Amino acid sequence: MTPANSFWTEVLQGGLSGYILLALLIFVIGLATVLLRRSLLMQFMGVELMINAANLALLAFARFKNGDVQATTFYLFIIAVAACEAAVGLALIVGLYRHRQTTDSDRADALRQ
Amino acid sequence: MFLIFALITLSGALAMFRQKNLVVAGLCLVLSFIGVSGLFLMLSNPVAAALQIIVYSGAIVVLVLFVIMLLNAHEEEPAVKPRSIQRWGSALVVAVLGVGAFKLVGSSPALRPANVRPVIEPMTLEQVGNYLVQQHLLAFEAIGLLLLASMVAAILLVKRDL
C-alpha cells in the first residue's frame, strides 16, 4: 500500500489523523463564518464552532496518546470558560443593540455615535 | 460510525454557514454539536459527550436562540457597502489556512498510523472527579469564581440605566 493510500484509510476508519482532519475542517468553517458573515450572532456561533474543533482535537490526541483524565479535566475547564464567554458576549450584543438598534458588525464600527 | 458522526458534524456546520435565517442556523449548530458529542462517544469518552450535550447544545445554543428572538434579528441586515476586498481577502485567508493545515496533517510524523492500538477503556466520571479535586482544586475554585464574575458582569451589562 502506498503512503497516501494508507493515510486515507486511516482517515476514513477514524484514526487519529481522521479526527484531526475533521477538527481542522470544523475550525475552517467556523473561521469562515466569523470572517464572512456580518451578523454578530452568526459570528458568535462561528466562535463556538471553533472552540468545539479545538476540543475535538484535544480529546482525540488524549485518547490516542494516553493522556485521558487530564484532557477531560482540561475540557471541563474549557467549557466553563466558554460558558462565561457566551454569557458576557451575548450581554455585549444585547447592550450594543440597545444603543444602536443593530446586530450588524459593519454598522458598529465606531466607538461613539 | 466515525464517518456517520463526522458527516453529521460537517453537514451541520456547513448548513449553519450557508443559512440565511439565524434561528435555523442555531438549530443547525445544535446538529453539529450532537455530531461532535457522538465523536466523543467514539473516543470512548462518555463524560465529555454528556458535558457537550448539556452545556453546548443545552445551555449555550438556547442562550443564543433566546437572544436572537429577543432582538428580533431573524435575518441578516442588508450590507451597508459591499466590501468585496475584505470578503475575498477573508475567503483567501480561510482557503490558505485550510490547505496549509491539511498539508501539515498529511505530512506530520506524530500522526502516523500507530503500530499498537491503545487500550480502550471508557472514561468514568469518578476518574475525572478524583483527578479534578486532587490535582486541580485551586483551578476548580477559580473557575467557580470566574463563572460568578461573568454572571454578574452579564447582568450589569444589560442593565438599562447604568
Side-chain angles (χ1 to χ4, degrees), chain A residues 34-38 43 104-110, chain B residues 77-92:
Chain A
V34 172
L35 288 178
L36 294 175
R37 298 296 298 258
R38 273 173 292 103
Q43 294 181 342
D104 188 323
S105 54
D106 278 1
R107 286 184 170 81
D109 55 355
Chain B
E77 294 161 49
V80 192
K81 38 187 159 167
R83 293 188 196 270
S84 50
I85 297 176
Q86 281 97 329
R87 292 182 73 80
W88 285 109
S90 307
L92 188 72

Side-chain angles (χ1 to χ4, degrees), chain A residues 10 19 22 24 36-39 42 48 51-52 63 65 70 73 75-76 97-98 102-103 106-107, chain B residues 16-17 19 33 39 42-44 51-52 56 71 76-78 83 87 101 110 113 121 131 158:
Chain A
E10 166 99 357
Y19 282 99
L22 180 64
L24 173 67
L36 294 175
R37 298 296 298 258
R38 273 173 292 103
S39 167
M42 276 310 285
E48 297 296 331
I51 293 176
N52 249 279
R63 165 51 70 190
K65 304 279 179 192
Q70 290 101 315
T73 312
Y75 171 72
L76 197 71
Y97 187 79
R98 290 247 169 89
T102 181
T103 55
D106 278 1
R107 286 184 170 81
Chain B
M16 187 207 82
F17 175 56
Q19 186 56 244
F33 285 162
L39 287 170
M42 295 290 300
L43 290 166
S44 67
L51 279 174
Q52 174 85 14
Y56 275 105
L71 302 186
E76 211 165 52
E77 294 161 49
R83 293 188 196 270
R87 292 182 73 80
E121 51 182 56
Y131 187 78
V158 294

Side-chain angles (χ1 to χ4, degrees), chain A residues 44-108:
Chain A
F44 186 83
M45 289 193 240
V47 170
E48 297 296 331
L49 212 56
M50 288 200 280
I51 293 176
N52 249 279
N55 285 337
L56 184 62
L58 172 74
L59 287 179
F61 270 122
R63 165 51 70 190
F64 286 92
K65 304 279 179 192
N66 302 319
D68 231 1
V69 188
Q70 290 101 315
T72 312
T73 312
F74 202 66
Y75 171 72
L76 197 71
F77 287 128
I78 291 175
I79 57 174
V81 174
C84 295
E85 175 249 328
V88 175
L90 286 171
L92 283 172
I93 295 177
V94 172
L96 179 78
Y97 187 79
R98 290 247 169 89
H99 282 286
R100 302 277 177 93
Q101 273 72 47
T102 181
T103 55
D104 188 323
S105 54
D106 278 1
R107 286 184 170 81

